[in-house]
Structures are given as C-alpha cells and as structure tokens.
Amino acid sequence: MKKFVWTLLLSIAFAIPATQAQTHDLEHIYNPAADAKADMAAAVKKAAKEQKHVLLQIGGNWCIWCKRLYKFIEDDAELKAALNDNYVVYHLNYSKENKNLPVLKELGYPQRFGFPVLVILDAKGNRLHTQNSGLLESADTYDKKKVQEFLKQWSPAALQPSHYINE
C-alpha cells in the first residue's frame, strides 16, 4: 500500500508542473494601460538589435479569437520557435478602456479587418504588411500550415534582396 501511495504522490508531483507549464494567463495578454507608442518603439529597437521584424498582434483581452491565436502559437513548439526566431512580438491593446486610435491611424487602420489583426513592422518601424487573421483560421481554431506560412513569408530572411537578385 505504501508503494502505491508513493507512486501516486510522485505521479501527481510530476503532473502538476507539466500541467502548469501549459496554462496561459489569457485574461492579461493585452495591457490597456500600456503606452503603446513607447512600447512599439522599444520593440522596434529590440528587433533592430536582434535582426528581426516586429509582429504586432492587435486585439484585446475581451476577444476570444485573440486568446485563441495566442494560445495556439504558445502551445505549438514549431510555431513558437518560428515566432521567437524571427519576430519581436507586441500585443497592442484595443479595448473600451484604450482603443489606441492614434497608433492605429499611423498603422493604416488595421482594425478594419477585425480582431486579432496582425501587423508586421521591419526593424526600422516601417509597416510591411497587415494580416487579416481570419484568413489563418480553420473552423473554430487556426490552421497551423497557414500560420506557419504567414510567419515564414514575412520573416526577415524572406525579404532579403539577395534572394531575388538573380531570378
């Protein structure tokens, strides 16, 4: 009986950290009180230093699809690696508390696509692309191949002029 109890306790002890590692705070992805302009400038500076692009995920803690996209990428090791290898990510808030309208105006009104909407900036802060995330969906989730292709096609490596000189 003691062996069974110890085995059970050890199983629980190892299972709890593994379960906690997969939990995400989906209620605080976006910060309505953040200074989006300053945070974006810091993200651009970091991207320049790391030779990456900036990926802005625009949405709010109220948005179920914003939470789904965040969790979808966080839970997939390949997508997470592609994101971390190529992008500095910033979650730009849009909510009743703070719509960040001046920033969104500068980005070409990406909210017209609904939420979440993804905006890619280069390491100088220039907008390269605005992505309607609905085009990355499949049923009630996201499509891994579509998300993977999006991350690949807008990565810094994909936009290297040297890849296209001798075409």
Side-chain angles (χ1 to χ4, degrees):
M1 182 68 168
K2 285 183 181 182
K3 185 176 180 179
F4 172 76
V5 171
W6 278 109
T7 304
L8 180 63
L9 288 174
L10 284 173
S11 298
I12 292 171
F14 284 109
I16 291 173
T19 303
Q20 289 174 340
Q22 292 298 318
T23 61
H24 306 290
D25 182 4
L26 299 178
E27 300 306 315
H28 299 96
I29 299 168
Y30 299 88
N31 180 0
D35 181 343
K37 191 116 170 125
D39 290 348
M40 285 173 48
V44 167
K45 185 176 180 180
K46 182 176 181 187
K49 183 178 178 184
E50 297 177 6
Q51 299 179 336
K52 296 180 179 182
H53 284 162
V54 175
L55 186 145
L56 303 175
Q57 182 180 324
I58 305 167
N61 296 320
W62 53 269
C63 169
I64 188 65
W65 281 98
C66 300
K67 294 175 185 182
R68 285 180 184 165
L69 181 59
Y70 176 83
K71 187 174 182 335
F72 186 80
I73 293 172
E74 288 291 316
D75 288 348
D76 187 293
E78 285 182 79
L79 292 176
K80 182 77 172 159
L83 190 70
N84 289 337
D85 291 347
N86 296 291
Y87 301 93
V88 173
V89 179
Y90 179 65
H91 293 90
L92 175 59
N93 182 74
Y94 179 94
S95 66
K96 63 182 178 182
E97 297 86 9
N98 184 357
K99 293 184 179 180
N100 282 305
L101 294 177
V103 173
L104 295 178
K105 179 180 178 183
E106 289 178 20
L107 293 171
Y109 306 104
Q111 67 269 38
R112 69 187 183 274
F113 294 110
F115 299 100
V117 60
L118 306 172
V119 175
I120 305 293
L121 306 176
D122 67 13
K124 294 178 182 173
N126 300 312
R127 183 173 58 92
L128 300 174
H129 180 67
T130 301
Q131 179 68 44
N132 176 345
S133 67
L135 300 175
L136 305 175
E137 295 173 10
S138 179
D140 63 349
T141 187
Y142 287 91
D143 184 294
K144 180 175 178 172
K145 287 183 182 178
K146 290 178 183 178
V147 173
Q148 221 166 15
E149 190 64 17
F150 165 74
L151 294 173
K152 178 183 172 188
Q153 293 299 330
W154 291 102
S155 69
L159 299 177
Q160 288 294 323
S162 61
H163 292 290
Y164 307 102
I165 291 176
N166 294 321
E167 280 193 1

